[in-house]
Amino acid sequence: MADPVIRLDAEQLSVAPGGQTRVGVVITNPGTVVDGYRLEVVGPVAGWARLEPSEISVYPQQDGASTLVVQPPPGTAVLGGRHGFGVVARSTLDPRASATAEGSVEVSVAGSVQAVIGPVNSSGGWQARHRVVLTNTANAVTRLRIEASDPDDTLGFRVTPADVTLPPGGGAEVDVRVMAKKPFLWRSSARHAFRVTGLRADVPNSSMGPPPQFVADGAFNQRPSGWLLLIPAVLVLLAVLSLISPWIVSMVARSPEAATPSLAPLGAPPKPTGLKVTAAGPTSIAVRWDPMEGMTYRLDEVDLKSGDVRNPTPYTANSGIVPNLQPSTEYCFQVHAVRNGLTGPPSNPACAKTPAPPVSQSPSAPATVDPDQPVLTAVYGTVTLDGATGDWPWGNEASVDYPVTKNVSTPVKAKVFLRWDEQAIYVMAQVNDSRLTQSPDGSTIWRGDAVTLELGPERPTQTQTPLRLADRYYMFGYRTPPQFSPFTAPAAKGVLRPLPNFTAFGPALDPTLITAVIAPNPDGGYLLEARIPWPFSQPPTTGMKLAANVNVSDVTQASKTAMISTNPQRFIDQEYPAFWQKLILG
């Protein structure tokens, strides 16, 4: 069987993200019998190109025609620049007979850098601090030089960092410290407007250079530095004290010693309430109780049969992790409130049993794991979002089976796989769920069955606030009814981040920057695959550590919502845990 001959009407194409371009494909049958040819796109564009039709029949010594449709998705999923591809024609009579035509497509750069400054207005006698949050919505890496200036030259600035690199879809935070060059004492407050500008770092700074990538305007309201007027008054007061101090000393020497006030009349502290004890891992238990104003605490391990108390441990906060425990063992605890050296009565005891250690450990996980911060592993490699699991690294899965919410139990189980490359993080969740529930609308994905990836920079300590501006919350749910028609359907997508006041969530990135599909799980339930453009200014490297949790929501009714997590420390009532898991890029 002779190889077919294939050619493209044009070998160099151009297209914008979210746009479409077409080119004709001609296949010649050089043989002596009618042959069919299956057409396939190979190379980097395969995920966003198709052939219409993808299979044709051609008579001997005749030509057949198809059309290559190249349609990159909008947003940052496809980098700007030149991408090579090939169109393969393979005989249906003899798969060994094939031919390939090669070409390239130039994807234009689209999008911009968005900047939000907070606060917009600040005030102080000398200096103030502003924060500029940057988001790169372009489909290309953007390198910026950050500068600040004011038209009246009354302010000085310290910008940290002064140079940032934003990957497609990524973000960064820039600290801008504003300082008044000349303080004043009694004049009324003055408002100084200033501007923070992002310039292309790879272009020399000149009047003929390209326009700024972003501009953020703010203002510093300078108040009188009245404290400077106190200096003469303090000097006068010191002089007066130096004159009368001998008289004060003699009076104190003749007077009887004053009794030290005692706080004992307050009595012993009350009994603590709300003690909750939850296993946090094979060798640790999380404890938590209702806070009491003005108290410190003492946590005791207690034997309920004998009443013996062991390992009394002081606490300054109303929660913590008890480490160095034995697996598969039940532990009981009680807590006392302490005030001014007086210890109150114990709380009602609460117990929990540590789970058994895992039978086997992921081969790419580190040899030792901090039990108080369980590890997730992302394996290097690129995958295709096709509703199939053949390109996922089985053996590196993480179980999602720790219950979080308290109003209803759930039988749902799930396994999660994570991968990464230089451009993105990939998520695959295989969820066993006998009842599938679609979210009521695209803005409240979590109100239906859904998967959430909580992702942020590494947390080197366990004392940081649970919500940080750099944290992202990626949510995926149904956009089509649960019967999955077609077989692999686009997933509903949402991206949230903490608002600047750290008390609520708001939109972070356009959901079109991420791609995701949902397909049926052969074992019942659904299979999610998602691609998230790398969201941080520091590029990914092997061994990099991040903070992450994976959660799976299960909804049966509007008032019946349950959730399971990969994080055993995310115990009941702790919606946004300070103790995030470590995610290691392996």
Side-chain angles (χ1 to χ4, degrees), residues 181-496:
K181 292 183 177 180
K182 295 181 179 180
F184 48 82
L185 302 180
W186 47 78
R187 56 177 288 191
S188 59
S189 298
R191 184 177 185 274
H192 306 291
F194 66 89
R195 171 166 290 182
V196 181
T197 307
L199 303 172
R200 289 276 300 275
D202 52 353
V203 176
N205 191 4
S206 68
S207 59
M208 301 300 292
Q213 298 296 298
F214 76 83
V215 172
D217 292 319
F220 172 56
N221 297 306
Q222 185 181 1
R223 299 194 303 260
S225 300
W227 59 270
L228 293 176
L229 296 174
L230 296 177
I231 296 177
V234 171
L235 294 176
V236 172
L237 179 61
L238 291 175
V240 172
L241 289 176
S242 65
L243 295 176
I244 67 174
S245 58
W247 177 80
I248 295 176
V249 171
S250 63
M251 292 297 292
V252 172
R254 290 196 300 268
S255 63
E257 183 176 356
T260 302
S262 174
L263 297 177
L266 292 175
K271 173 182 176 179
T273 60
L275 176 62
K276 296 179 180 179
V277 178
T278 308
T283 62
S284 60
I285 283 180
V287 293
R288 184 181 182 185
W289 54 90
D290 296 336
M292 303 172 67
E293 186 176 358
M295 304 289 180
T296 58
Y297 309 95
R298 192 189 81 200
L299 183 73
D300 299 336
E301 182 186 337
V302 59
D303 187 327
L304 296 184
K305 293 182 179 180
S306 65
D308 293 340
V309 173
R310 299 185 294 268
N311 303 322
T313 305
Y315 278 75
T316 57
N318 66 310
S319 63
I321 297 293
V322 181
N324 304 322
L325 304 179
Q326 296 298 318
S328 304
T329 304
E330 184 177 60
Y331 291 89
C332 298
F333 299 90
Q334 63 187 18
V335 64
H336 303 259
V338 180
R339 178 177 56 197
N340 304 317
L342 298 176
T343 301
S347 67
N348 294 332
C351 305
K353 185 176 182 179
T354 55
V359 176
S360 61
Q361 187 175 340
S362 166
S364 58
T368 58
V369 176
D370 179 0
D372 294 336
Q373 287 186 301
V375 171
L376 296 172
T377 301
V379 180
Y380 180 84
T382 302
V383 298
T384 303
L385 307 187
D386 55 3
T389 61
D391 50 1
W392 287 93
W394 293 87
N396 291 280
E397 67 269 25
S399 296
V400 189
D401 52 12
Y402 295 99
V404 178
T405 54
K406 63 181 181 180
N407 62 342
V408 64
S409 61
T410 174
V412 170
K413 298 290 184 182
K415 292 187 179 298
V416 174
F417 304 77
L418 301 173
R419 302 202 77 170
W420 68 281
D421 59 20
E422 290 81 0
Q423 304 298 329
I425 289 180
Y426 303 85
V427 184
M428 193 269 274
Q430 190 177 42
V431 183
N432 291 351
D433 188 353
S434 59
R435 179 174 178 175
L436 303 180
T437 304
Q438 184 180 3
S439 61
D441 59 77
S443 64
T444 56
I445 297 172
W446 60 89
R447 293 181 181 171
D449 293 347
V451 176
T452 302
L453 170 64
E454 301 172 335
L455 188 66
E458 182 188 13
R459 295 168 182 254
T461 68
Q462 296 180 343
T463 60
Q464 298 182 17
T465 175
L467 307 182
R468 303 174 301 171
L469 282 176
D471 294 334
R472 298 286 197 277
Y473 294 75
Y474 301 97
M475 296 171 294
F476 307 96
Y478 300 116
R479 193 168 67 182
T480 59
Q483 61 265 28
F484 299 103
S485 179
F487 179 83
T488 300
K493 301 169 293 184
V495 187
L496 297 179

